[in-house]
Amino acid sequence: MPDQSKAVRFEEIALPHLGAAYNLARWLLHNEHDAEDVVQEAYLRALKSFSGYYGGDSRSWLMTIVRNTCYTWLQKNRALRLSDPIEDKLDGVGLDFADPEMILLQSADSQMVRQALQELPVEFREVMVLREMEDLSYKEIADIVDVPIGTVMSRLARGRKRLQALLAKHMGKEAGIELPRNA
Amino acid sequence: MSCHETHELIHGYVDGELDLVRSMEIEEHLRDCHACTQSYKGIRSLRSVISDGALRFDPPANFERRLRSTLRRESEPQRRSIILRWRWVLVGTSLIAAVIVIWVVAGIFGRPSTGDLVAEEIVSSHVRSLMADHLTDVPSSDRHTVKPWFDGKLDFSPPVKDLSQQGFNLNGGRLDYIGNRRVAALVYQRGKHSINVFVWPSSGAAPINEKASVHQGYNLIRWTNAGMTYWVVSDLNLAELQQFAQLLQESQALS
């Protein structure tokens, strides 16, 4: 493959996923400029390793590189600390959603949800972003994050529970209600 | 399906990741279980809140353009390497072309040139004239005998000079055949050395200065003057032959 057509082919394959790539980077890094830098770096990395890409799911391929570049950046610049030992278990997760106040979420404005999502530990945040915003399947998320599919589901479950709790807290504050428990 | 099992699988159900059998079991459970149904609705509403497009960050307007140019720049070294590769291809082709040119040119120059071919013919003719005892067709020391003899035998009239006073006796004339044409051969004698002078009209009008060469041990001098090409061949030493050639040219200039 001539280098010229390789570069063109790379653009054709990688640039359509720029929106997803930027959104993930932006959610993981919190900052517009950092997101741009990291996405650019990820694309350059992808370009370099493009000869190793033999078709397949181009989005998963690219998003894996973007996600890993984000983590590298976080480790270097933010002393990335996985928030807490992730309990990838589902016990008791589902029931919380039955709490009456959770139904109030529908009235939460996007700014509030955005803030709550930002507060989520990065491991939950990434699966939430990939699932809810990019509409990726468990399998695709598992490939990108490099965990088993079961872990994707449990992280989604825990992330949703935490997010709901955070939202409830924010809404409670706004409404002047002190909620008795935390996430 | 129990509430516990439902809790474990409810997210997979909401996300549409369960197989049909499991999905149907959960739906069956949800019909009967209010708590699990509330949980299910909670997850659904949370999903709808997050997947609201408002939460999505779109890349800045010119980001794609900037990224594209960065990628292009990054491909630059590769592009340069293509140019480099092409440059080598070019160098290679040039070399091959040069070799071919040299080969052809060397072939042309390596081959006997027209002059060399004529020189060979002249030497052969000279040698033949001596061996076959056919030095002259018109044996005469009188140029007024020799010159008219050529009339009607040639389409030109060769200048015939008397150089006996300078020690070069005219022996006569002969018709010969050089370079696919009839030419005049004038025979002079210097001591025991015979000198053949071949004369024919030159193709170019421009005079060409004397050129001496040696072929098979014979000295040759040629020149072109007044529309005639002269070849002088003899086993006479070069100095004397050059003197003879000089005399021939001078007398031509005088006549």
Side-chain angles (χ1 to χ4, degrees):
Chain A
M1 178 165 47
D3 289 338
Q4 195 57 37
S5 71
K6 179 190 146 186
V8 171
R9 211 168 83 85
F10 173 76
E11 285 184 16
E12 282 171 2
I13 281 174
L15 284 179
H17 308 305
L18 183 59
Y22 179 81
N23 187 48
L24 178 65
R26 180 69 178 75
W27 271 108
L28 294 185
L29 307 178
H30 299 296
N31 174 298
E32 192 176 318
H33 292 295
D34 295 341
E36 275 188 39
D37 288 352
V38 168
V39 167
Q40 179 172 302
E41 196 192 322
Y43 268 77
L44 290 174
R45 274 197 209 179
L47 177 64
K48 272 179 197 154
S49 67
F50 187 50
S51 2
Y53 170 75
Y54 298 106
D57 187 349
S58 61
R59 181 168 59 177
S60 291
W61 171 71
L62 186 77
M63 292 297 273
T64 304
I65 297 171
V66 171
R67 187 254 180 193
N68 291 341
T69 311
C70 284
Y71 270 72
T72 308
W73 190 93
L74 285 170
Q75 275 162 353
K76 203 175 359 176
N77 295 282
R78 299 242 179 100
L80 175 71
R81 188 171 52 84
L82 294 183
S83 52
D84 51 9
I86 306 164
E87 302 149 40
D88 287 323
K89 286 178 290 174
L90 288 168
D91 299 293
V93 166
L95 279 178
D96 292 332
F97 289 93
D99 292 346
E101 69 261 35
M102 297 305 171
I103 308 300
L104 293 175
L105 284 174
Q106 275 159 327
S107 62
D109 64 67
S110 59
Q111 186 50 45
M112 196 183 289
V113 179
R114 190 188 292 269
Q115 199 191 324
L117 197 51
Q118 297 276 30
E119 290 172 28
L120 272 190
V122 68
E123 314 81 53
F124 299 118
R125 208 186 318 137
E126 69 182 355
V127 293
M128 299 280 280
V129 167
L130 293 173
R131 175 70 202 123
E132 313 294 17
M133 296 182 202
E134 302 305 335
D135 204 29
L136 297 188
S137 68
Y138 285 8
K139 173 71 174 70
E140 288 171 311
I141 297 170
D143 286 345
I144 293 167
V145 179
D146 196 26
V147 293
I149 288 178
T151 304
V152 173
M153 185 159 76
S154 68
R155 284 194 189 171
L156 270 174
R158 290 186 64 78
R160 283 167 178 163
K161 179 194 159 192
R162 283 181 180 232
L163 187 67
Q164 233 163 359
L166 280 167
L167 276 172
K169 199 169 81 182
H170 289 310
M171 288 172 76
K173 270 181 192 164
E174 217 163 68
I177 304 163
E178 215 37 67
L179 287 173
R181 60 184 168 72
N182 53 35
Chain B
M1 189 176 275
S2 68
C3 282
H4 181 77
E5 283 174 304
T6 302
H7 296 156
E8 281 193 1
L9 295 172
I10 190 76
H11 289 272
Y13 175 70
V14 172
D15 291 317
E17 293 273 349
L18 295 188
D19 59 54
L20 187 63
V21 174
R22 292 289 183 88
S23 296
M24 285 170 74
E25 283 173 359
I26 287 194
E27 280 164 18
E28 197 184 329
H29 177 81
L30 289 179
R31 272 200 293 276
D32 302 332
C33 178
H34 178 72
C36 285
T37 301
Q38 286 299 98
S39 179
Y40 169 68
K41 283 181 180 170
I43 298 167
R44 288 275 307 264
S45 63
L46 183 71
R47 285 207 67 202
S48 69
V49 167
I50 306 170
S51 55
D52 175 8
L55 287 187
R56 208 164 189 280
F57 289 104
D58 288 322
N62 58 354
F63 182 50
E64 181 170 343
R65 189 177 51 76
R66 278 186 283 124
L67 180 61
R68 208 181 271 273
S69 67
T70 304
L71 291 171
R72 295 260 161 93
R73 250 198 326 277
E74 194 62 23
S75 310
E76 201 78 1
Q78 295 171 330
R79 209 174 301 159
R80 218 174 292 136
S81 80
I82 290 172
I83 294 166
L84 217 65
R85 221 174 293 153
W86 273 108
R87 203 172 287 160
W88 280 114
V89 168
L90 221 65
V91 166
T93 354
S94 309
L95 272 174
I96 290 165
V99 165
I100 289 170
V101 165
I102 288 168
W103 183 63
V104 166
V105 166
I108 288 168
F109 283 94
R111 236 184 291 150
S113 68
T114 323
D116 286 336
L117 286 173
V118 172
E120 264 172 43
E121 273 192 77
I122 288 193
V123 168
S124 302
S125 189
H126 175 69
V127 171
R128 218 165 31 239
S129 71
L130 299 173
M131 277 167 56
D133 198 19
H134 181 223
L135 202 55
T136 56
D137 289 324
V138 47
S140 172
S141 60
D142 182 6
R143 67 184 185 100
H144 297 293
T145 307
V146 174
K147 189 174 163 75
W149 181 82
F150 286 108
D151 290 345
K153 299 182 181 65
L154 293 170
D155 54 355
F156 63 95
S157 181
V160 183
K161 309 294 171 192
D162 184 0
L163 300 170
S164 53
Q165 287 190 341
Q166 288 83 13
F168 299 97
N169 296 315
L170 181 65
N171 274 359
R174 183 181 82 249
L175 264 186
D176 217 316
Y177 205 77
I178 301 285
N180 298 323
R181 66 161 301 145
R182 285 178 174 201
V183 301
L186 303 169
V187 185
Y188 289 84
Q189 189 78 30
R190 172 73 160 188
K192 288 181 178 172
H193 305 283
S194 291
I195 304 169
N196 265 300
V197 179
F198 296 91
V199 185
W200 63 88
S202 60
S203 47
I208 299 170
N209 288 337
E210 249 184 57
K211 251 185 224 171
S213 58
V214 178
H215 273 263
Q216 297 166 39
Y218 292 96
N219 286 313
L220 288 100
I221 299 172
R222 62 174 153 158
W223 69 92
T224 296
N225 191 21
M228 291 290 180
T229 295
Y230 297 81
W231 282 81
V232 173
V233 58
S234 178
D235 57 349
L236 188 66
N237 66 73
L238 185 61
E240 281 183 277
L241 195 64
Q242 276 176 326
Q243 187 200 343
F244 171 71
Q246 203 61 44
L247 288 168
L248 213 56
Q249 288 183 72
E250 278 168 12
S251 61
Q252 280 162 18
L254 286 169
S255 62

